[in-house]
Amino acid sequence: MKKTILIATEKPFARKAIKKVQKIIRHVDDFDLKLLERYNNVDEFKEAISNVSALVVRSDKVSQDIIGSAKKLKVVVRAGAGYDNIDVDAATKRKIIVMNTPGQNSNGVAELAFGLMLGLIRRKYLGGPGTELKGKSIGLHGFGHIGKCMAQIAKGFDMKVFAYDPYVDSKVMKEHAVKACKSAEDLYKKVNFVSLNIPVNEKTERSINYRLLSKMKKRAVLINTARKDLIDEKGLMRIMSERSELMYASDIAPKWKVEMEEKFPMRTLFTTKKMGAQTVEANLNSLVASVTQIIDFFEKGDTTYQVNG
Ligand code: 3PG
């Protein structure tokens, strides 16, 4: 019997990416694809997953309840980097492999970060004079795939690049001509722009707090294309109220989006939906990687990108 791969996405992949994986699947025996896009409720997801062997998701919530409905599920791939949307413990208990596709959508996210930076410093293109990136400094909080893409783009803008990442050797930063900082505080103190490029977990949750944000330079800009829960929103609101020159742009709407936009209209910028990885290129890269990883897992036992177990 064929193994069914379910692609369940509330925010659909580009048609080109879907067509590409349909073509891949046509060339391998034993697999077929099932699509669930823009679903309206958990029940639709539970129904669709009940009989499948593999699952591909984006930021879709894969809860214990969803996993419980998947009788034949063997592998879940998060088409992207951050897998905080998946209940990894529930999957592990059921011996389900969880994987991600690191690096596949990094460039899309990195380019969007600069789009947000430009949007803010050009005063939302409303006619008033803005400022430029050239000669300014950027601090990359996290130097993984996205951090590295950002460093490369920043150099094109003739910016000075700094980074802080306790899990990356300063030699690696040096190889990318990036100056290593010893702590997050040190980074936030030094730069005109801070970009968050770290995952959310028990160590980083709400770690971007008032104390850290108060270290930021005058007229600094904080860019969040990572996760909402990294930010202590109370602390962010407080520092934005106390310091009328700080700016915040995010690809993930804060809980207090409306209030923030009302209070600080020219100092905040938010996308309408999480858009960092929403490019044809990123969709192609991450979906092809996901489906290929699933086929390789079933055919060769390859678990290279496994994040649990
Ligand atoms: C990631 O972790 O790779 C990004 O946040 C992408 O999220 P998305 O697939 O929901 O666009």
Side-chain angles (χ1 to χ4, degrees):
M1 223 177 40
K2 286 192 178 221
K3 292 174 195 72
T4 303
I5 303 172
L6 172 67
I7 301 174
T9 51
E10 184 270 317
K11 182 173 60 190
F13 285 111
R15 286 300 94 194
K16 201 170 169 184
I18 297 288
K19 283 198 177 130
K20 177 83 183 174
V21 291
Q22 283 169 334
K23 201 167 161 196
I24 293 173
I25 290 291
R26 275 199 295 276
H27 288 90
V28 284
D29 297 328
D30 289 347
F31 292 94
D32 57 17
L33 272 187
K34 186 169 164 182
L35 263 187
L36 176 70
E37 294 180 321
R38 294 192 183 88
Y39 52 90
N40 295 312
N41 54 58
V42 178
D43 290 336
E44 269 185 68
F45 195 175
K46 280 161 77 170
E47 165 73 30
I49 203 175
S50 62
N51 237 355
V52 305
S53 303
L55 171 69
V56 179
V57 287
R58 300 185 64 174
S59 291
D60 307 77
K61 211 163 174 43
V62 185
S63 62
Q64 188 175 9
D65 190 26
I66 295 284
I67 290 170
S69 318
K71 307 276 174 295
K72 291 168 45 184
L73 192 64
K74 296 277 179 289
V75 53
V76 178
V77 182
R78 197 293 187 217
Y83 50 90
D84 46 292
N85 52 316
I86 298 172
D87 189 331
V88 177
D89 288 342
T92 308
K93 274 188 197 128
R94 285 264 324 273
K95 298 194 169 42
I96 295 168
I97 309 277
V98 180
M99 299 183 188
N100 65 351
T101 63
Q104 300 294 344
N105 54 26
S106 320
N107 188 64
V109 178
E111 286 189 12
L112 183 90
F114 283 91
L116 290 171
M117 284 157 66
L118 286 168
L120 265 183
I121 66 168
R122 288 301 184 105
R123 304 190 55 76
K124 299 189 171 183
Y125 314 113
L126 291 172
T131 53
E132 299 181 12
L133 295 176
K134 186 174 173 153
K136 308 290 186 325
S137 53
I138 183 166
L140 306 170
H141 190 165
F143 200 64
H145 293 282
I146 298 169
K148 288 182 185 104
C149 284
M150 289 199 62
Q152 195 180 346
I153 299 170
K155 283 190 216 115
F157 279 109
D158 209 0
M159 297 181 83
K160 298 176 200 94
V161 190
F162 297 83
Y164 168 68
D165 191 327
Y167 303 100
V168 177
D169 199 306
S170 59
K171 275 191 217 140
V172 176
M173 294 180 190
K174 214 172 165 189
E175 276 159 27
H176 287 80
V178 168
K179 290 201 178 85
C181 290
K182 285 188 181 58
S183 64
E185 286 77 8
D186 184 26
L187 182 81
Y188 283 54
K189 253 189 241 166
K190 268 200 175 86
V191 297
N192 304 112
F193 296 85
V194 174
S195 172
L196 298 178
N197 310 115
I198 52 175
V200 68
N201 53 42
E202 60 286 349
K203 280 195 187 137
T204 60
E205 202 171 348
R206 282 190 288 282
S207 62
I208 313 305
N209 53 24
Y210 177 80
R211 195 187 46 80
L212 184 59
L213 294 171
S214 59
K215 305 280 183 245
M216 289 177 85
K217 261 175 110 101
K218 208 161 182 208
R219 280 183 289 279
V221 181
L222 176 69
I223 307 293
N224 182 9
T225 55
R227 289 294 183 270
K228 179 162 86 176
D229 296 336
L230 291 171
I231 307 273
D232 170 10
E233 285 191 17
K234 239 188 194 168
L236 175 65
M237 200 67 167
R238 183 174 159 203
I239 195 82
M240 293 281 290
S241 306
E242 286 175 9
R243 287 183 46 187
S244 62
E245 19 70 55
L246 283 186
M247 296 195 238
Y248 180 57
S250 177
D251 189 27
I252 322 99
K255 207 164 71 203
W256 293 343
K257 178 174 184 273
V258 176
E259 204 176 335
M260 286 192 106
E261 280 174 332
E262 258 169 36
K263 275 191 160 169
F264 322 115
M266 294 309 289
R267 295 195 284 129
T268 53
L269 182 58
F270 306 115
T271 52
T272 49
K273 223 177 199 317
K274 194 156 161 246
M275 293 299 291
Q278 196 59 327
T279 64
V280 174
E281 292 88 339
N283 284 186
L284 259 171
N285 293 343
S286 61
L287 184 57
V288 169
S290 302
V291 169
T292 309
Q293 285 172 212
I294 289 169
I295 296 171
D296 287 350
F297 165 69
F298 283 111
E299 292 193 336
K300 307 178 203 154
D302 188 342
T303 53
T304 306
Y305 295 101
Q306 182 173 355
V307 297
N308 64 338

